[in-house]
Amino acid sequence: MKTLSSVCVYCGASSQVADIHKQAAHALGDGLARRGIRLVYGGGRVGLMGIAADAALAAGGEVVGIIPEHIQSAEVEHTGLTELHVVDSMHTRKRMMVEKSDAFVVLPGGLGTLDEAFEILTWKQLQLHDKPIVIADVDGYWRPLLGLVDHMVAQGFARIDQKKLYAVADQIDGVFDALEASPPAALPTQPRKL
């Protein structure tokens, strides 16, 4: 798979979700590890976050977690990771996740996942990075969001070419295919500071 050494995974921390989403998180973590790709994520031990991390670790992979102090204090951090970075804020966490990753995968999740996904898309639109972004539309979870993007385009608030900022896969095998097919970075060697 090209030159990807690490992939950032954005996903939910809830465990009260359908099994198909849990299976997708497991398959992604396992698949990254089996391909020798480090998983970078938010550092939690619960929900899809914990499932993806545990699957990668069980398959012999490396997992880097980045968690803010205020979330760590709730004792939800994963203590068995290859690396766990405790940082001062959500902003620092998100910046570090970008710096430590060669690509991004968005699994199903809640408001936090949505925030991370749109920020990384916006940063790519602004040419702050040129790394692949794949939305894992497992069981049609992100279909309403993708419809909203179409609506933004139709209403003139987004350009049609902005849909090229990301790829969409409806299953985890498709995520790896999309990462493999992503074009090489086109930005100058010195991108703008995040």
Side-chain angles (χ1 to χ4, degrees), residues 149-182:
V149 173
D150 288 338
H151 178 69
M152 291 175 185
V153 170
Q155 295 294 315
F157 287 97
R159 295 186 320 272
I160 188 72
D161 65 328
Q162 291 172 341
K163 293 176 66 171
K164 294 179 183 176
L165 295 171
Y166 58 89
V168 179
D170 60 5
Q171 52 188 313
I172 298 305
D173 285 346
V175 168
F176 291 111
D177 292 343
L179 289 172
E180 180 69 33
S182 59

Side-chain angles (χ1 to χ4, degrees), residues 13-31:
S14 173
S15 298
Q16 306 301 311
V17 300
D19 286 344
I20 193 168
H21 300 307
K22 295 175 184 179
Q23 293 161 2
H26 185 278
L28 182 62
D30 180 78

Side-chain angles (χ1 to χ4, degrees), residues 51-63:
I51 292 169
D54 287 341
L57 291 167
E62 293 183 10
V63 180

Side-chain angles (χ1 to χ4, degrees), residues 94-114:
K94 291 193 281 186
R95 181 182 46 78
M96 280 186 72
M97 290 169 85
V98 173
E99 291 170 353
K100 291 184 173 292
S101 302
D102 298 323
F104 307 90
V105 174
V106 183
L107 283 174
L111 294 176
T113 304
L114 198 57

Side-chain angles (χ1 to χ4, degrees), residues 69-116:
E69 293 168 337
H70 72 278
I71 295 177
Q72 183 213 21
S73 65
E75 298 181 355
V76 296
E77 86 270 17
H78 197 304
T79 57
L81 304 177
T82 310
E83 296 175 27
L84 178 65
H85 301 271
V86 180
V87 297
D88 63 344
S89 69
M90 292 294 285
H91 297 293
T92 301
R93 173 203 225 179
K94 291 193 281 186
R95 181 182 46 78
M96 280 186 72
M97 290 169 85
V98 173
E99 291 170 353
K100 291 184 173 292
S101 302
D102 298 323
F104 307 90
V105 174
V106 183
L107 283 174
L111 294 176
T113 304
L114 198 57
D115 169 60
E116 292 166 328

